[in-house]
Amino acid sequence: MKYLTCFFVVLMASCSNAGKSIKVKGSDTEVNLAVSLAENFYKVHQDFSVAISGGGSGLGIASLLNGQTDIANSSRPLNAEELSLLKVKGVPIRTIIFAEDATAFIVHRDFPLDVIDIATLTKILSGQFKSWKPLTGQDIPISIYGRQSNSGTHSFISKKLNIQFSRDAKEMNGNAQIVEGIKHDRSGIGYVGAGYILHNAREQPVKVLKIMVKTGSTAISPLDVKAIAAGLYYFQRPLYQFIPVASWNKVAAFIAFEKSPAGQKIITTAGYYLIPTKP
C-alpha cells in the first residue's frame, strides 16, 4: 500500500456528505505521510471521507487554482507567479506548515564514498562533472535520477544549489522510481525524501550520502534526527499545506488531527520531522 507515489488515492467513503469529503492533492514527498494521517484520522472521524493523490507540488497548486482540491500539499513555498494567480482568481488561502523534511542523496549501496560536499554535488547535478573519476578514480559516466520540473523537490534542489539540472538527468515520477533506478545502477545518484528512506530503512538497497557544506566541515546525514532538530542539515525544508479559505471549515478537523499528539507521532513514525523549535 505504501510508496505508490505517482498517483495514489485513498478513499474512505462512508458518507455522501460533501461537507465532510476532503480532497488532498500535490507533493509526492508528502503523499505517503498524508495517507498515514488520513488512515488514522478516519479511525476517530468516520463521518469524513478523504481522497489523496500525488503528482507533485505543482499539480497540487494548479488544482488549488482551479478549485479542484481542499488541501494542496507542497514541498516548496508558493512562487511569485502562483501568488499572483491566486490573487487574480480571488482565491484566498491559509498556509499550514505541518512537518519538516530532509532531502536525501542516494547512491548504489556499493558506491565507494559515504560523504559528498556541496561544491561537488553542484558540479554533478549541473552536468559539469560527467564522470565519477574526479571523486572515485573510476571513469564511469554519472547517471542522475531526478524529478520533473513540476516537482517541489526539483525546485528545492535547484534553488539550494543555484543550478539548472543537467539535460542528461532522468526525470522520474517519484521516490519509488528513483530508488528502484539507483538500486540497479552503480553509477547512479538521485534525491528522495529522507522520510521515504527512514520509513523502511532496513530494506532500502541504497546508500544515503552524508553532506558536507564545505570540504573539511562536519558531514551530516539526513537521517540524523538531532541534526535536523537543530536545523543543521543543508537540504532540510518545511512541508506546506495550502488551503482555500472556503474549504477551511471542512478541513479544520483534519488539520487539528495533524497537530494532535497522535498526528505528531504519525509524522515522526513515518520518518519525517516535527517543526524545529526556534531558539
Side-chain angles (χ1 to χ4, degrees):
M1 185 171 181
K2 307 295 184 185
Y3 304 148
L4 301 179
T5 56
C6 181
F7 186 77
F8 192 105
V9 176
V10 168
L11 183 61
M12 302 163 184
S14 67
C15 71
S16 58
N17 186 347
K20 294 189 175 181
S21 178
I22 300 172
K23 289 180 286 187
V24 184
K25 298 183 179 183
S27 168
D28 283 325
T29 297
E30 300 176 34
V31 69
N32 288 327
L33 174 56
V35 169
S36 295
L37 287 165
E39 288 174 339
N40 287 276
F41 170 74
Y42 183 65
K43 293 177 181 176
V44 292
H45 294 280
Q46 295 185 9
D47 51 339
F48 277 81
S49 64
V50 184
I52 299 172
S53 61
S57 300
L59 186 149
I61 294 167
S63 299
L64 186 74
L65 287 163
N66 295 325
Q68 296 174 337
T69 191
D70 299 303
I71 299 176
N73 283 342
S74 178
S75 57
R76 61 169 175 81
L78 294 167
N79 61 37
E81 181 181 5
E82 290 160 347
L83 286 169
S84 177
L85 286 171
L86 285 168
K87 187 174 182 180
V88 169
K89 286 179 172 283
V91 184
I93 62 167
R94 294 183 67 166
T95 300
I96 301 294
I97 297 176
F98 74 110
E100 187 87 354
D101 178 54
T103 301
F105 288 86
I106 59 173
V107 290
H108 191 275
R109 63 183 176 187
D110 295 331
F111 189 73
L113 302 178
D114 298 320
V115 177
I116 195 166
D117 63 74
I118 295 298
T120 302
L121 192 59
T122 299
K123 292 177 180 176
I124 290 172
L125 297 183
S126 66
Q128 186 174 343
F129 279 179
K130 300 289 187 184
S131 164
W132 286 111
K133 189 172 183 178
L135 279 77
T136 67
Q138 299 174 327
D139 192 13
I140 302 173
I142 297 171
S143 297
I144 302 170
Y145 291 77
R147 294 295 311 281
Q148 303 97 329
S149 59
N150 68 344
S151 158
T153 307
H154 178 284
S155 173
F156 172 66
I157 299 300
S158 176
K159 289 181 178 177
K160 288 291 288 186
L161 298 180
N162 192 27
I163 62 166
Q164 295 293 319
F165 279 95
S166 167
R167 293 183 177 181
D168 297 327
K170 300 176 178 63
E171 295 188 350
M172 315 301 283
N173 283 326
N175 292 328
Q177 280 197 359
I178 292 174
V179 170
E180 189 66 18
I182 297 292
K183 183 173 71 175
H184 298 289
D185 189 347
R186 292 176 179 271
S187 67
I189 182 169
Y191 52 85
V192 298
Y196 186 86
I197 298 295
L198 275 169
H199 192 85
N200 208 11
R202 293 182 180 179
E203 298 178 17
Q204 296 294 346
V206 296
K207 178 188 291 186
V208 176
L209 294 174
K210 293 181 180 179
I211 300 295
M212 286 191 301
V213 175
K214 297 180 180 179
T215 302
S217 64
T218 301
I220 297 176
S221 169
L223 309 183
D224 185 335
V225 176
K226 291 183 179 179
I228 299 297
L232 297 178
Y233 183 63
Y234 189 75
F235 294 102
Q236 68 182 84
R237 58 181 172 169
L239 298 180
Y240 299 87
Q241 292 175 315
F242 304 120
I243 302 165
V245 169
S247 294
W248 179 255
N249 288 339
K250 183 196 298 186
V251 307
F254 184 69
I255 300 301
F257 178 77
E258 290 178 342
K259 295 180 178 180
S260 71
Q264 299 285 283
K265 184 177 181 181
I266 291 166
I267 289 171
T268 55
T269 301
Y272 297 84
Y273 304 98
L274 302 180
I275 303 299
T277 303
K278 295 182 179 179

